[in-house]
Amino acid sequence: DTEVTQTPKHLVMGMTNKKSLKCEQHMGHRAMYWYKQKAKKPPELMFVYSYEKLSINESVPSRFSPECPNSSLLNLHLHALQPEDSALYLCASSQPGSARFEKLFFGSGTQLSVL
Amino acid sequence: AQSVTQLDSHVSVSEGTPVLLRCNYSSSYSPSLFWYVQHPNKGLQLLLKYTSAATLVKGINGFEAEFKKSETSFHLTKPSAHMSDAAEYFCVVSDSNYQLIWGAGTKLIIKP
């Protein structure tokens, strides 16, 4: 199994809603990532978890709250988002250590629209 | 600081003709370099990577790239384009820490 599965594929939410994005992998990877991708732009790193601990937070607003309950799962909790947060949210995984050498496996993403 | 420049925002070729997507990088270190592809409404898939082994790297789907240190380039090529190659392609360089530096992307258009 070389897949990273993200749910839901599409999400529409209001600015007062609370929602969560989910990501799952069963490749035994111990590093997991959240990226944000706006249309026609490269992905931007948001968070990195290594061995279930948050290792990188790229100064992401607190309305985004990541969680890694175990080595296979990664969540992104959303609260009080703004319309400019509308984007494709991508999850990725890899072997831990430096991303310098390691291949990232990406999910297909959740297309989020904030109204 | 490391950076990567994809020289073309769009490349259009006819099916069956060669593909060339250009990428230049700057790096203080011996870099690792990657090409990722993203088909419409899909996630990203690694095409190939260079990590200081052979300078000519072969990837999936018939793509290859050559690392040229003197030119600081890592151009992606394919001898014969297929309609299924239409996608966005990203050149990526690693930095000294954990992160990947992404190019702005090149949209490959295949004409029938």
Side-chain angles (χ1 to χ4, degrees):
Chain A
D1 183 0
T2 58
E3 280 195 357
V4 176
T5 303
Q6 290 188 244
T7 56
K9 293 192 183 304
H10 302 275
L11 179 62
V12 179
M13 59 187 291
M15 290 189 285
T16 58
N17 291 159
K18 287 185 180 181
K19 297 286 185 182
S20 296
L21 309 185
K22 297 185 184 303
C23 175
E24 188 170 5
Q25 56 88 16
H26 295 287
M27 293 177 279
H29 291 165
R30 302 302 295 275
M32 296 186 76
Y33 310 71
W34 280 116
Y35 280 86
K36 174 183 178 180
Q37 186 179 27
K38 301 285 273 186
K40 302 186 190 303
K41 297 290 187 183
E44 301 170 21
L45 184 65
M46 300 175 72
F47 303 104
V48 180
Y49 274 82
S50 181
Y51 295 100
E52 296 86 68
K53 295 190 187 307
L54 184 64
S55 60
I56 294 178
N57 177 342
E58 288 293 325
S59 303
V60 179
S62 59
R63 58 186 183 268
F64 295 90
S65 176
E67 179 196 21
C68 190
N70 61 55
S71 60
S72 299
L73 293 174
L74 185 66
N75 298 321
L76 185 63
H77 303 297
L78 314 173
H79 174 55
L81 294 193
Q82 304 297 310
E84 60 264 29
D85 297 322
S86 298
L88 181 68
Y89 288 84
L90 294 162
C91 174
S93 71
S94 73
Q95 295 298 349
S98 174
R100 179 178 173 80
F101 302 111
E102 295 298 334
K103 172 181 178 178
L104 294 182
F105 289 80
F106 282 87
S108 296
T110 294
Q111 187 65 55
L112 174 66
S113 296
V114 181
L115 304 179
Chain B
Q2 306 210 10
S3 66
V4 59
T5 302
Q6 292 184 242
L7 298 164
D8 307 291
S9 60
H10 294 78
V11 169
S12 180
V13 301
S14 297
E15 190 175 20
T17 64
V19 174
L20 170 64
L21 305 184
R22 298 182 294 166
C23 174
N24 287 110
Y25 70 92
S26 67
S27 172
S28 308
Y29 306 90
S30 180
S32 291
L33 294 153
F34 308 79
W35 277 98
Y36 279 85
V37 61
Q38 187 173 31
H39 287 90
N41 302 313
K42 297 286 189 183
L44 292 132
Q45 182 183 21
L46 181 70
L47 278 178
L48 49 81
K49 67 176 183 178
Y50 166 79
T51 54
S52 74
T55 56
L56 183 61
V57 182
K58 293 189 183 299
I60 62 171
N61 301 334
F63 284 93
E64 63 182 37
E66 186 171 7
F67 173 71
K68 292 186 176 180
K69 186 175 181 179
S70 60
E71 299 176 11
T72 61
S73 69
F74 190 57
H75 301 335
L76 183 70
T77 60
K78 182 174 181 178
S80 177
H82 190 274
M83 294 300 291
S84 61
D85 295 326
E88 190 84 20
Y89 291 78
F90 293 97
C91 182
V92 186
V93 63
S94 68
D95 70 3
S96 58
N97 297 321
Y98 216 101
Q99 294 199 38
L100 304 177
I101 311 300
W102 295 74
T106 297
K107 183 173 183 178
L108 178 61
I109 299 163
I110 311 296
K111 297 178 289 186

